[in-house]
């Protein structure tokens, strides 16, 4: 209980804490796309940053963009792919799924038990609690498992839930992403320009 009180005191002094899910993973750029991919995609997905300090340092190759259609795993293993997909999820009001997945990845990389306890609590409050405005859709079996594991949190407390959300994004959002103006415009930006003048 003392940990919670000190956290509440900190919130009063400094404002709400920054949720670990809102932090970028070390290999993840902010939701940003290189200027080379500006145009229709920028208009299609509000919230993408096309230039400035948050822009990607190296644009994805046309082959990388095409690989995102080969499998959801390839999209999720690409930092730029995750950023573009996250921006797409925001337009569908389901960005919390990606934020939860990223927070779980960050938790799994943590070794310090005190930090694990705090991050697990924040993830629970932000994404699992039925009182959270960012609650992710989990079945009762997974939710009950999390409630048991929260007695002694570990880096793998949310593994079942993370898999369930990953599967949801794969089956539900990913097919729509592949047919979205966002992805199609990225494909067109990387396609060789054919000469229509003859």
């Amino acid at each position: 209980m003392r940990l919670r009180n000190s956290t509440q005191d900190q919130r009063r002094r400094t404002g709400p804490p920054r949720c670990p899910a809102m932090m970028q993973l070390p290999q993840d750029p902010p939701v940003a796309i290189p200027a080379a991919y500006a145009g229709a995609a920028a208009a299609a997905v509000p919230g993408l940053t096309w230039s400035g300090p948050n822009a990607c340092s190296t644009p994805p190759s046309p082959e990388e963009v095409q690989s995102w259609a080969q499998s959801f795993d390839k999209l999720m293993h690409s930092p730029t792919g995750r950023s573009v997909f996250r921006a797409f999820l925001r337009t569908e009001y389901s960005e919390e799924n990606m934020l939860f997945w990223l927070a779980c990845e960050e938790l799994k990389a943590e070794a310090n038990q005190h930090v694990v306890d705090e991050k697990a609590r924040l993830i629970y409050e932000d994404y699992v609690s039925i009182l959270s405005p960012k609650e992710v859709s989990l079945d009762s079996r997974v939710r009950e498992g999390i409630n048991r594991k929260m007695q002694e949190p570990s880096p793998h407390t949310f593994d079942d839930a993370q898999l369930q959300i990953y599967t949801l994004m794969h089956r539900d959002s990913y097919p729509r992403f592949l047919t979205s103006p966002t992805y199609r415009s990225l494909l067109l930006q990387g396609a060789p320009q054919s000469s229509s003048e003859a």
Side-chain angles (χ1 to χ4, degrees), residues 96 122-136:
E96 67 277 359
L122 288 172
I123 292 170
Y124 185 88
E125 288 177 359
D126 287 345
Y127 302 105
V128 179
S129 170
I130 58 173
L131 302 175
S132 172
K134 296 186 285 185
E135 179 187 6
V136 293

Side-chain angles (χ1 to χ4, degrees), residues 62-72 74-75 78 174 183:
E63 293 78 21
E64 181 182 5
V65 173
Q66 291 170 357
S67 76
W68 300 343
Q70 294 170 4
S71 77
F72 187 58
K74 288 188 179 184
L75 173 69
S78 162
Y174 177 63
Y183 183 67

Side-chain angles (χ1 to χ4, degrees), residues 155-176:
H156 301 284
T157 297
F158 300 98
D159 283 359
D160 291 340
Q162 185 185 25
L163 177 61
Q164 191 171 48
I165 294 304
Y166 187 89
T167 302
L168 175 70
M169 291 189 295
H170 181 199
R171 291 184 180 163
D172 187 50
S173 303
Y174 177 63
R176 287 195 303 275

Side-chain angles (χ1 to χ4, degrees), residues 80-176:
T80 304
R82 283 192 304 268
S83 293
V84 173
F85 187 58
R86 177 179 164 189
F88 169 76
L89 291 174
R90 185 179 302 129
T91 68
E92 293 202 328
Y93 304 100
S94 59
E95 181 184 19
E96 67 277 359
N97 291 331
M98 178 64 84
L99 295 175
F100 173 73
W101 187 86
L102 290 169
C104 292
E105 286 295 295
E106 186 177 304
L107 178 66
K108 286 194 276 190
E110 188 56 61
N112 180 316
Q113 186 58 46
H114 177 71
V115 175
V116 167
D117 291 346
E118 182 65 13
K119 286 184 177 185
R121 184 187 63 76
L122 288 172
I123 292 170
Y124 185 88
E125 288 177 359
D126 287 345
Y127 302 105
V128 179
S129 170
I130 58 173
L131 302 175
S132 172
K134 296 186 285 185
E135 179 187 6
V136 293
S137 179
L138 300 171
D139 65 38
S140 61
R141 179 191 59 81
V142 170
R143 197 174 293 277
E144 288 168 8
I146 291 172
N147 288 336
R148 281 192 306 274
K149 292 175 184 176
M150 283 300 291
Q151 301 302 315
E152 293 182 33
S154 79
H156 301 284
T157 297
F158 300 98
D159 283 359
D160 291 340
Q162 185 185 25
L163 177 61
Q164 191 171 48
I165 294 304
Y166 187 89
T167 302
L168 175 70
M169 291 189 295
H170 181 199
R171 291 184 180 163
D172 187 50
S173 303
Y174 177 63
R176 287 195 303 275

Side-chain angles (χ1 to χ4, degrees), residues 41-76:
V45 182
L48 286 177
T49 303
W50 299 102
S51 61
N54 291 335
C56 297
S57 58
T58 57
S61 67
E63 293 78 21
E64 181 182 5
V65 173
Q66 291 170 357
S67 76
W68 300 343
Q70 294 170 4
S71 77
F72 187 58
D73 288 339
K74 288 188 179 184
L75 173 69
M76 292 297 282

